[in-house]
Amino acid sequence: MMKRFLILMLTAILFVGCSSPKEETANDSEGKEAEATEDAEDTEEEGGIEVEKGLFNVEITLPTSLFGEEELAEIEAEMGEEVSDITQNDDGSYTVKMTKKEHKELLAEMKDDLTNMITEVAEDEEFASIHDITYNDDFTKINMVVDQEMFENSFDGFVTLSLGVSSLFYQVFNGKDIEKEKVTISLEDAETKEVFSEIIYPDALEEMGEESE
């Protein structure tokens, strides 16, 4: 279930990151400020996903500003198989409440999916320019060793987008502020051992959104 859930999330965030106008972002921000409560200090909002950690439970709210109605319905159906406490709010968003144990298992599953994806990419002969991929424990630092010339003249660069967005979602569901704790993907030339490029998320998604306008 988790792999399908991640695919839905990645599709949604890419759509929003590439097509949402700046006015919507500003309005969303104003709306959040107006709805702030005394408990706001205990709530973290990162990348449009609200994660509230209580004493025994964890609540994750998936807003309509980040996901379309169809994606939210798919997520509800998928998560409903494993998480019973999932409700739709008046604004169309969904709030998923789970125990800390369930949240821990969710993060562990996401981490396994990310690790497996990285391993598969590094070993896949279709990505001929990619020699190796290493990363830190929380996926905020990812280093790709590549044949620079081959990499820059192929479609292997799309791998950085998949890794960057997947890593962002892991940070978000882990309660991190992705505006402060960004994900950095370094591209290292296999021959010279020098880093020739760094891609920082979510900044890269915002740049993509601006270019598409």
Side-chain angles (χ1 to χ4, degrees), residues 30-182:
E30 292 175 1
K32 289 176 183 176
E33 291 178 1
E35 295 172 359
T37 65
E38 295 179 356
D39 297 327
E41 295 181 358
D42 297 326
T43 301
E44 299 177 3
E45 295 178 2
E46 308 94 354
I49 296 181
E50 182 178 298
V51 179
E52 184 173 344
K53 297 182 179 180
L55 185 60
F56 302 107
N57 298 313
V58 175
E59 291 187 6
I60 301 173
T61 299
L62 309 177
T64 54
S65 61
L66 184 61
F67 297 94
E69 292 182 4
E70 293 184 3
E71 287 83 3
L72 284 169
E74 289 271 7
I75 290 172
E76 180 192 26
E78 290 291 337
M79 293 204 73
E81 296 177 3
E82 297 184 8
V83 180
S84 58
D85 196 345
I86 176 169
T87 57
Q88 185 174 23
N89 304 311
D90 292 338
D91 62 356
S93 65
Y94 282 90
T95 295
V96 181
K97 181 184 290 185
M98 63 187 74
T99 65
K100 285 195 171 182
K101 179 182 178 182
E102 289 173 331
H103 183 244
K104 184 177 181 180
E105 291 173 350
L106 172 68
L107 288 177
E109 201 167 346
M110 293 178 74
K111 188 170 187 177
D112 285 343
D113 283 346
L114 249 174
T115 301
N116 291 335
M117 181 174 69
I118 291 173
T119 299
E120 290 172 4
V121 168
E123 296 177 353
D124 195 331
E125 294 181 358
E126 291 187 7
F127 302 111
S129 70
I130 301 175
H131 293 198
D132 190 27
I133 304 176
T134 57
Y135 48 91
N136 62 355
D137 188 61
D138 62 358
F139 303 102
T140 54
K141 302 289 184 182
I142 299 175
N143 188 72
M144 296 176 59
V145 180
V146 304
D147 180 312
Q148 181 176 354
E149 183 177 358
M150 186 183 299
F151 181 85
E152 293 178 338
N153 290 283
S154 70
F155 291 103
D156 292 357
F158 284 106
V159 169
T160 62
L161 182 60
S162 297
L163 292 181
V165 175
S166 298
S167 300
L168 279 183
F169 270 103
Y170 180 79
Q171 310 310 318
V172 167
F173 277 82
N174 198 23
K176 299 292 185 66
D177 184 350
I178 58 174
E179 290 299 329
K180 296 179 180 178
E181 301 180 60
K182 300 177 185 290

Side-chain angles (χ1 to χ4, degrees), residues 18-30:
C18 294
S19 62
S20 294
K22 295 179 181 179
E23 289 78 11
E24 290 183 359
T25 303
N27 290 336
D28 288 342
S29 177
E30 292 175 1

